Amino acid sequence: MHSTENAKYLGSRSSLPICCLLLLLLAVVLQPAASQTQSSQRYLQNVDINNANNERLQQILKGSGAGAAPAQIWPQPPLKAIPDVKTELAKLNSTYTYQNDWPANNVKLGAVTAVSFDKAGNVVIFHRVNRVWGQQTFDNRNVYQEQYLGPIRESTILALEPATGAMKYDWGKNFFYMPHGLTVDPEDNVWVTDVAMHQVFKFPPRGGDGKPLLTLGTAFKPGSGKKFCKPTSVAVLDNGDFFVADGYCNARILKYSRAGELITSWGQNSFSGVSYDVAPQNYFAIPHALTLVPELELLCAADRENGRVQCFFSRNGTFHSQYHSQLIGDRLFSMAYTPASGGQLVIVNGPTAELGIHPEHYNEVHGFVLSMRSKQLVSKFGPNNLEFHNPHDVAVTTDGNEIYVAELAPMRIHKFVHRSLTKPLSLSATKDTSNIGTGKAGQENAAPGQTVHHPSGKAILVASLMLLFAGSTFALALLFARRRKRGCLPFGSRSRRHAWEKSDGFKLGGLLDRDRNGFEKLDQQASDEEQDTTTTLASAQYA
């Protein structure tokens, strides 16, 4: 009897946790999902934020609320109203002019991944020749799968003369497997990263004898600690200390001494395949490029999949500021700094990675100029004022007058010059046709202080030759007509009627009507090469 009652009592006791569990699950299901701006937890996949004694977390959080209660570490600001991106982009003026004829035609390029300047002012680029980063290039452990191809046989580093785009020198044969980042330091040494080899190299000026002065990382073995996993970029201080963006896997930045000894590191991966409205400071979703701001002693990183620039003090890596614009969008591939106009960041974004997921996210791929003072975009630029397809890196001269953009597909290096330096068209080319023949009116319409251009000696010579040719043609036609009437020509007969044998005498219009049918319309279709270029854009999915 007692055993039966005990069994019933235990059965009722065991059913209570089950009921509680069901109620708890029901509450979770019915609870509305938290918005992206309210859930900073989604960034912290590998960190225990409830552990206030986590030293690694405290190091990462320097300058960003370390020591606060876990629920308030990253307070999410209210979501700002999304502007009409298309309308706002249309309002931005273009302050740079595209140089269509640069570089020289004999410069053959693969996917261009990086651009910098040497001490002589040459434009130094890194390109992949015939190598392509595709879905099968790396396995799930980030190990390079095409080592059997061997190193790229052709020169991967080219230096181009800035005025003409002619090649000044080249090197980098039989060494690299998958080029990515390139930086020329103040001493003209060349720093490069290879994502297939998972290594960082320092070469002497112009490559020297082809042997690196310093090598970091273990060839073809991705990892953390002293190893890298697809490092992306390098920035070098005047004293020789340097920074490495260990980008695709570890999502961190490391600072080294001139001798290659690790000083400090910071950053952690927040990439989960979806971009967020607000990302926490000191976290990265692929730190893709680095640039220095010497006046403020800052190092800035392109936080690619978070669509922002994060800047840190170069002394110790503590957070300073971040720059983001909804007009740029959720992907920001590279940026470069110029002290012009009080300090500007020249930025290139990329095509949206969320096609079909967030169709409301309007996206245009341009170069942008952002003022570090106002944190506002001041202008945009692109090839012939159109969009880029897959820009990967950007460099700007110190005076801000020239910008160079490296693009994966189409495989190109682009040059832009500030509009203040471009030569205006001559007045004879832009003058209104209503003023032709009224020189006085033309002078009145000229801007004050502007010289009115008169025909040059060369133009007069060309006009004289054209008049001479027309007169000779008329005289020759008249001579042929008279001789033909007299039967002095060896062809034709006097009984055959011609346009110039009508009773009202010779007319030049008849001769012109006869020859008019000999002209054909020019073909206005693009060349095969231009049409084929557009078909390669979809293949450049990996950077």
Side-chain angles (χ1 to χ4, degrees):
M1 179 68 179
H2 292 287
S3 61
T4 304
E5 292 177 355
N6 289 338
K8 292 181 179 179
Y9 174 75
L10 292 174
S12 62
R13 288 285 302 272
S14 62
S15 63
L16 289 176
I18 297 176
C19 294
C20 294
L21 180 60
L22 291 175
L23 291 173
L24 180 62
L25 290 175
L26 183 61
V28 171
V29 171
L30 294 178
Q31 182 181 4
S35 66
Q36 292 179 354
T37 57
Q38 295 174 343
S39 179
S40 60
Q41 182 79 22
R42 299 178 64 181
Y43 293 101
L44 311 176
Q45 301 175 1
N46 301 316
V47 178
D48 181 13
I49 65 172
N50 295 315
N51 183 2
N53 297 321
N54 189 320
E55 295 181 359
R56 175 59 178 161
L57 179 60
Q58 300 305 317
Q59 179 184 1
I60 295 173
L61 298 180
K62 285 181 180 179
S64 60
Q72 298 177 356
I73 286 180
W74 292 297
Q76 296 295 305
L79 183 62
K80 297 180 180 179
I82 299 177
D84 186 339
V85 175
K86 187 174 184 179
T87 301
E88 294 301 319
L89 283 172
K91 294 179 182 178
L92 288 176
N93 294 323
S94 179
T95 53
Y96 287 86
T97 302
Y98 185 52
Q99 306 299 295
N100 292 280
D101 56 350
W102 196 97
N105 292 330
N106 61 343
V107 177
K108 305 302 180 183
L109 299 173
V112 187
T113 63
V115 56
S116 185
F117 304 104
D118 64 13
K119 291 184 69 173
N122 296 311
V123 181
V124 184
I125 63 175
F126 205 16
H127 75 122
R128 293 174 180 164
V129 189
N130 58 353
R131 203 60 55 92
V132 177
W133 185 347
Q135 292 184 356
Q136 307 302 321
T137 303
F138 295 89
D139 65 12
N140 293 332
R141 296 175 297 126
N142 297 302
V143 176
Y144 184 58
Q145 299 297 293
E146 299 175 348
Q147 191 175 346
Y148 64 89
L149 295 174
I152 300 172
R153 297 180 179 87
E154 291 80 7
S155 295
T156 54
I157 297 177
L158 312 177
L160 307 178
E161 203 275 327
T164 64
M167 188 158 57
K168 300 285 287 188
Y169 58 87
D170 64 292
W171 58 282
K173 297 179 180 179
N174 299 310
F175 191 95
F176 302 105
Y177 285 76
M178 189 62 68
H180 197 277
L182 179 145
T183 301
V184 183
D185 70 18
E187 298 177 359
D188 227 19
N189 299 305
V190 184
W191 299 76
V192 293
T193 66
D194 189 303
V195 292
M197 302 172 75
H198 306 286
Q199 287 182 299
V200 177
F201 304 96
K202 174 187 178 181
F203 286 90
R206 301 194 175 195
D209 58 358
K211 297 180 181 179
L213 301 173
L214 178 67
T215 301
L216 297 176
T218 304
F220 302 107
K221 293 184 179 180
S224 56
K226 292 185 177 181
K227 294 181 179 179
F228 299 116
C229 185
K230 299 177 184 173
T232 54
S233 183
V234 176
V236 186
L237 296 171
D238 289 338
N239 66 357
D241 294 349
F242 61 96
F243 302 88
V244 175
D246 192 14
Y248 283 94
C249 319
N250 296 319
R252 58 178 178 169
I253 297 176
L254 306 97
K255 182 179 181 180
Y256 292 88
S257 68
R258 183 185 185 95
E261 299 173 350
L262 181 63
I263 298 175
T264 187
S265 65
W266 69 93
Q268 188 162 324
N269 201 339
S270 67
F271 183 63
S272 59
V274 179
S275 59
Y276 294 84
D277 295 315
V278 180
Q281 300 167 0
N282 296 287
Y283 274 66
F284 299 103
I286 307 178
H288 196 255
L290 299 175
T291 192
L292 294 168
V293 183
E295 296 88 344
L296 302 177
E297 297 185 352
L298 296 179
L299 170 80
C300 296
D303 191 359
R304 197 182 87 174
E305 300 302 315
N306 283 324
R308 63 176 175 173
V309 176
Q310 286 196 83
C311 294
F312 309 88
F313 288 105
S314 57
R315 299 187 306 273
N316 52 20
T318 56
F319 179 84
H320 176 269
S321 56
Q322 65 176 342
Y323 304 86
H324 173 71
S325 171
Q326 293 175 334
L327 303 187
I328 294 175
D330 296 328
R331 305 183 83 203
L332 191 154
F333 273 70
S334 186
M335 82 276 113
Y337 173 76
T338 172
S341 301
Q344 294 178 332
L345 289 174
V346 179
I347 295 168
V348 289
N349 66 342
T352 179
E354 299 180 353
L355 293 174
I357 300 177
H358 294 290
E360 72 278 7
H361 289 185
Y362 183 80
N363 173 253
E364 290 184 11
V365 184
H366 291 290
F368 297 93
V369 180
L370 184 147
S371 170
M372 291 189 69
R373 287 182 176 180
S374 65
K375 295 189 178 182
Q376 299 296 319
L377 297 180
V378 296
S379 68
K380 66 179 180 181
F381 60 91
N384 293 321
N385 293 328
L386 300 176
E387 293 186 53
F388 292 104
H389 292 284
N390 293 100
H392 196 257
D393 194 23
V394 63
V396 59
T397 55
T398 303
D399 56 15
N401 287 333
E402 295 180 4
I403 294 175
Y404 298 85
V405 176
E407 191 163 19
L408 295 178
M411 304 170 183
R412 285 216 56 180
I413 178 72
H414 303 275
K415 178 181 179 180
F416 300 85
V417 176
H418 197 276
R419 286 192 180 276
S420 62
L421 299 181
T422 56
K423 297 180 179 179
L425 293 175
S426 65
L427 186 61
S428 59
T430 58
K431 191 189 304 180
D432 191 278
T433 55
S434 62
N435 293 330
I436 294 178
T438 58
K440 185 176 180 179
Q443 294 177 8
E444 292 174 351
N445 290 335
Q450 184 178 8
T451 304
V452 178
H453 295 271
H454 298 282
S456 62
K458 185 176 181 180
I460 295 175
L461 178 60
V462 172
S464 301
L465 291 175
M466 293 178 64
L467 290 174
L468 181 61
F469 176 78
S472 301
T473 303
F474 179 84
L476 187 61
L478 184 61
L479 178 62
F480 269 55
R482 291 180 177 178
R483 292 178 64 88
R484 196 172 184 84
K485 283 186 177 182
R486 297 173 182 175
C488 299
L489 294 179
F491 50 85
S493 63
R494 295 189 61 185
S495 61
R496 183 177 300 174
R497 298 282 297 179
H498 294 278
W500 55 79
E501 292 181 356
K502 295 181 180 179
S503 58
D504 54 352
F506 173 77
K507 290 186 179 179
L508 185 59
L511 181 62
L512 295 177
D513 288 338
R514 183 187 180 202
D515 292 337
R516 188 178 300 164
N517 294 330
F519 294 94
E520 297 179 359
K521 292 184 66 176
L522 292 175
D523 185 10
Q524 297 180 356
Q525 295 294 328
S527 66
D528 292 338
E529 181 179 358
E530 291 172 339
Q531 293 175 351
D532 291 342
T533 301
T534 60
T535 64
T536 64
L537 302 179
S539 63
Q541 300 177 359
Y542 301 88

